[in-house]
Amino acid sequence: MLLLGIDIGTSSVKVCVVDAESQAIVASASYPDQESPITSLQSGWAEQSPEMWWQQTRQALTLCHKKGGYDPKNISAIGIAYQMHGLVLVDKDQKILRDSIIWCDSRAVEIGDKAFADIGTEKCLTHMLNSPGNFTASKLAWVKKNEPDIYAQIDKIMLPGDYIAMKLTGEITTSASALSEGVFFDFQNNGLSKDIIRHFNFSEKLFPPVMPVFSEHGRITTNVAALLGLTAGIPVTYKAGDQPNNALSLNVLKPGEVAATAGTSGVIYGVSGELTYDVQSRVNTFAHVNYTNERKRLGVLLCINGTGSLYRWIKNTFGASLSYAEMNAMAEQAPMGCNGLRIMPFGNGAERMLNNKQIGAHLHNIDLNLHTAAHVFRAAQEGIACAFRYGLDIMRENGMHPTVIRAGKSNMFLSDLFAQTFVNATGVPVELYNNDGSLGAALGAGIGAGIYPSQAEAFNKAERVGYIEPTDIEKFEPIYQDWKEILENHLQRKQEDKDQKVETFNNQ
């Protein structure tokens, strides 16, 4: 029995076919080879085409089939993981109305901040566990305000994974986990937030039926099955955002367990058994994949927009002819601390952990007679690790104190230097596993289809491939404190600029 996992990423779509019994990947493929484009019509905007995701899914699956080693007709269930928070809009004929406003888009920050104040900070935090901030609800409100002709045509709103499931099955569903990541979910009333609906004057008809994460979300249509070489009627039995899915793929399901990832964005994701929130909404709480009203399982999520996206920019700018592996090898030749070179990795939209401020990415203390590309490569990795530490300290303020963090040996964790720097910066050991989002989606499909007796048993054959302990906490701490001082100076100047603009406006 085979399971298909589809991971709709910002950079590419990856698929894998998994043997349900052994939990091993039979074949996998991704598309495209180069990173997918992000359209930015204005500073701070970020959009992608949902149709592009669908075409990439088809191409990735075709490549996977060509590798052989399995009969596509033996695939029994499909799971989907996806980039979180993106807004997808379709009309009554399931036609796309506009490109998706994706997770790192910052246009709706002021709309979300106003809703936070108008609904009431206490009401938002105790019921939605978050400020509306820059999440999907605020993005939809932006469309309603600025594109009323498009808004009038909306039949259903979706997240990116919902759209791919719709293309496969012709059906549209959502879940409590999905609604919560859009800040549409009221945890106290266990349903769609009446406060958000009233404040933005949304119609409840825009929202799809709510289903459990692990359940049937439709069956593959005959036409799509023929197009993809699959069997008609295969169910989609799992859909989840990429970070809850990453946690699932690392068997992070119980309170106190923590996962991390460092792809385009960087995330630390800890499971809580309580309805917890950060009073400043710098880290965010969503329903985990195993959340139920009777058994609360919440994911406390720290997100850094600029991790892999920074390293990609560094590569394009300073190492275009190099592979990432070559960059990592060069970085190891530079000394810890990079002779004072510091990098702020915050150039990919408003950062939630910085109170939705956009301070940009910065290189500090460049010595033209000393610093080389190797220093820049290492300083980028150290800057990203420092950003993780800064965010983890916020999580610690909110009661999350991990003793070990699980991560997949992929993306930036492929760099031994980065993995060790992450551990030295945070002071927390890391367990590494060979996993990725498409594997988690495939095994999630097995859970949803009832193939595995329990969620944990879907991952009982996962093998740890690495364990990294702190080695130089004392040496790295002064580097972090120097980095933190630079960051806080940026934040102070940003606040002073904002206050000055308000004062000027009030005096006019």
Side-chain angles (χ1 to χ4, degrees):
M1 184 180 295
L2 302 177
L3 304 167
L4 172 63
I6 303 171
D7 183 14
I8 311 299
T10 310
S11 301
S12 65
V13 171
K14 183 172 183 180
V15 303
C16 75
V17 175
V18 173
D19 180 280
E21 182 177 357
S22 68
Q23 301 173 11
I25 296 175
V26 177
S28 66
S30 62
Y31 188 88
D33 292 333
Q34 302 297 317
E35 294 187 5
S36 301
I38 295 175
T39 302
S40 185
L41 299 177
Q42 294 187 34
S43 177
W45 289 23
E47 300 181 0
Q48 285 187 325
S49 164
E51 179 60 25
M52 177 186 74
W53 301 331
W54 173 238
Q55 295 303 325
Q56 290 176 351
T57 300
R58 292 175 55 187
Q59 293 283 356
L61 192 54
T62 298
L63 291 173
C64 195
H65 288 343
K66 286 181 178 178
K67 293 186 176 182
Y70 68 94
D71 183 351
K73 300 295 184 181
N74 290 335
I75 293 172
S76 300
I78 299 174
I80 301 171
Y82 58 87
Q83 51 171 293
M84 296 173 72
H85 314 304
L87 175 66
V88 181
L89 308 174
V90 296
D91 65 14
K92 59 182 177 58
D93 297 317
Q94 297 188 348
K95 301 296 184 184
I96 285 290
L97 293 171
R98 69 175 327 280
D99 280 353
S100 173
I101 304 175
I102 65 172
W103 59 277
C104 54
D105 186 286
S106 303
R107 75 187 70 183
V109 169
E110 291 184 359
I111 290 174
D113 287 348
K114 186 176 186 302
F116 195 33
D118 290 351
I119 295 172
T121 56
E122 183 178 359
K123 187 68 173 292
C124 285
L125 293 174
T126 56
H127 283 255
M128 278 77 78
L129 308 184
N130 300 288
S131 161
N134 196 36
F135 294 111
T136 319
S138 300
K139 292 178 170 73
L140 179 61
W142 184 92
V143 173
K144 184 173 184 287
K145 177 181 178 181
N146 294 279
E147 299 174 344
D149 291 344
I150 289 175
Y151 184 84
Q153 299 176 64
I154 300 173
D155 180 64
K156 290 292 181 288
I157 71 163
M158 291 179 284
L159 296 164
D162 301 328
Y163 176 75
I164 297 303
M166 182 201 79
K167 294 294 287 185
L168 291 168
T169 69
E171 298 185 34
I172 305 174
T173 67
T174 189
S175 66
S177 182
L179 289 173
S180 74
E181 74 173 78
V183 192
F184 293 114
F185 192 74
D186 187 321
F187 284 91
Q188 301 294 342
N189 298 319
N190 200 41
L192 199 62
S193 168
K194 303 296 185 182
D195 293 297
I196 291 290
I197 296 298
R198 281 193 296 265
H199 177 79
F200 290 127
N201 195 24
F202 295 150
S203 169
E204 292 191 24
K205 294 180 181 179
L206 299 179
F207 298 89
V210 180
M211 302 290 292
V213 169
F214 301 105
S215 67
E216 186 176 306
H217 296 274
R219 292 179 173 266
I220 307 301
T221 64
T222 301
N223 290 342
V224 170
L227 183 69
L228 301 181
L230 302 173
T231 302
I234 298 172
V236 173
T237 54
Y238 170 80
K239 289 189 302 182
D242 52 9
Q243 299 311 322
N245 177 72
N246 179 64
L248 173 73
S249 71
L250 292 164
N251 199 18
V252 171
L253 295 165
K254 299 176 183 177
E257 295 178 334
V258 178
T261 183
T264 303
S265 63
V267 167
I268 298 178
Y269 184 98
V271 179
S272 172
E274 301 177 359
L275 297 181
T276 184
Y277 55 84
D278 175 54
V279 293
Q280 297 181 50
S281 207
R282 296 165 298 173
V283 297
N284 303 101
T285 304
F286 307 116
H288 196 23
V289 292
N290 56 344
Y291 173 90
T292 65
N293 191 40
E294 297 75 28
R295 192 182 186 197
K296 304 288 193 291
R297 293 293 180 265
L298 291 305
V300 181
L301 187 152
L302 158 75
C303 180
I304 307 161
N305 292 354
T307 51
S309 56
L310 168 73
Y311 211 47
R312 178 199 66 218
W313 184 87
I314 292 291
K315 181 182 188 302
N316 292 343
T317 307
F318 297 95
S321 64
L322 302 173
S323 68
Y324 283 114
E326 290 170 330
M327 288 171 59
N328 295 337
M330 288 178 63
E332 291 180 359
Q333 303 307 309
M336 180 187 294
C338 303
N339 300 112
L341 182 62
R342 303 284 181 262
I343 294 183
M344 301 288 115
F346 301 119
N348 192 27
E351 294 283 357
R352 290 176 228 150
M353 75 172 186
L354 305 182
N355 298 107
N356 281 325
K357 290 183 175 65
Q358 296 186 69
I359 67 167
H362 300 265
L363 282 74
H364 288 266
N365 306 327
I366 299 172
D367 186 325
L368 300 178
N369 299 311
L370 173 63
H371 291 129
T372 65
H375 287 87
V376 175
F377 300 156
R378 179 162 190 149
Q381 295 196 21
E382 290 184 348
I384 292 166
C386 287
F388 271 111
R389 159 69 183 279
Y390 189 86
L392 181 58
D393 284 349
I394 295 173
M395 297 182 77
R396 287 167 169 147
E397 289 176 28
N398 287 275
M400 189 68 63
H401 297 280
T403 57
V404 66
I405 295 174
R406 298 176 195 164
K409 192 170 177 59
S410 60
N411 299 313
M412 294 204 68
F413 280 104
L414 289 170
S415 166
D416 292 338
L417 174 64
F418 174 77
Q420 188 65 64
T421 304
F422 175 94
V423 169
N424 289 340
T426 61
V428 182
V430 165
E431 294 180 344
L432 292 174
Y433 294 83
N434 281 329
N435 83 307
D436 61 26
S438 61
L439 173 61
L443 295 176
I447 297 169
I451 293 169
Y452 301 111
S454 69
Q455 294 160 5
E457 289 184 57
F459 302 93
N460 59 11
K461 297 181 181 178
E463 294 185 7
R464 193 175 75 180
V465 296
Y467 183 77
I468 305 163
E469 293 184 285
T471 57
D472 291 301
I473 293 178
E474 295 81 5
K475 291 181 181 179
F476 197 81
E477 186 65 19
I479 298 169
Y480 170 70
Q481 292 299 334
D482 183 51
W483 180 95
K484 181 181 177 183
E485 182 179 356
I486 294 170
L487 171 62
E488 292 182 341
N489 286 338
H490 276 294
L491 295 173
Q492 181 178 349
R493 287 195 295 271
K494 195 76 173 177
Q495 187 62 46
E496 289 172 352
D497 289 345
K498 181 179 179 180
D499 293 343
Q500 181 62 48
K501 289 177 182 178
V502 171
E503 182 178 351
T504 301
F505 177 81
N506 290 337
N507 291 334
Q508 288 177 346

